[in-house]
Amino acid sequence: MAGSSHLGEATARPVGHPRLVRQLLLYGFGPEADFEGRLVGALERLESGGALRILDVLFVRRDAESGDIDAIDLQGDGAGGVVAPLLNFRLDEGERRRATERTLRAHADVVRELGAALEPGAALAAVLVEHVWSTTLEDAVARTGGTRLANDFVDAAGLAELGAELLAAAGRPAG
């Protein structure tokens, strides 16, 4: 798609030089959040199917009592390499302190600003993922002689809800 990710503004783009499809996911957690490993498990499941690759994870939490910041930044290796360090961060106070020191050395300004923006006890998790499946699909389309007409994240449960967008991407007016 040339210059737009909106279905209604899509233009045909030949595939064959697939662009990386990366997505930033950012989640906030209030002081009542209960971190018992569900997030780590979800990250492990995301990557295990091979459709997504976790490129980077940043977790920042402001301690409810002391106001101190705990943080960890991990680069993914595509093989579930973020799971064990995240578990260690969650369960081992010494590892949490070491991970925070490493993260602050690498990203002090951003982490401190994020931590200051959090209310005591709150946290945020940022995950950068690569949609590996897109490379495989784009290659198959290119080898078949096809072109991409649209590429967007949409809020729909089925294609029937996207009739106008599909028509626009195909170059036909709705109605």
Side-chain angles (χ1 to χ4, degrees):
M1 210 160 50
S4 173
S5 64
H6 299 289
L7 282 171
E9 301 172 12
T11 57
R13 178 186 180 282
V15 292
H17 296 93
R19 75 181 174 111
L20 300 175
V21 178
R22 293 182 175 165
Q23 183 179 14
L24 170 64
L25 305 166
L26 181 62
Y27 302 98
F29 304 91
E32 73 288 343
D34 185 14
F35 297 103
E36 294 184 350
R38 287 182 284 275
L39 292 176
V40 175
L43 290 172
E44 182 177 35
R45 287 187 304 279
L46 277 177
E47 204 168 46
S48 68
L52 293 177
R53 179 179 305 131
I54 296 172
L55 300 174
D56 203 353
V57 173
L58 174 65
F59 180 83
V60 179
R61 182 183 68 127
R62 186 168 173 205
D63 187 85
E65 295 175 17
S66 69
D68 291 343
I69 296 170
D70 294 324
I72 187 167
D73 179 37
L74 297 167
Q75 283 70 49
D77 61 6
V82 299
V83 172
L86 284 172
L87 282 174
N88 289 336
F89 176 83
R90 185 175 75 83
L91 299 173
D92 183 333
E93 188 175 328
E95 182 52 36
R96 188 167 39 255
R97 186 179 60 255
R98 288 186 292 278
T100 298
E101 290 169 2
R102 285 189 303 270
T103 302
L104 285 171
R105 276 195 304 272
H107 311 290
D109 291 342
V110 171
V111 171
R112 281 197 168 89
E113 285 185 41
L114 288 170
L118 295 170
E119 66 180 288
L124 68 80
V127 182
L128 182 63
V129 296
E130 179 181 352
H131 292 262
V132 179
W133 59 266
S134 67
T135 303
T136 304
L137 184 58
E138 296 245 351
D139 182 57
V141 169
R143 290 174 185 263
T144 307
T147 56
R148 180 179 351 119
L149 299 177
N151 178 9
D152 202 3
F153 289 98
V154 296
D155 184 16
L159 291 175
E161 298 174 35
L162 300 172
E165 290 86 350
L166 294 171
L167 289 168
R172 301 194 187 263

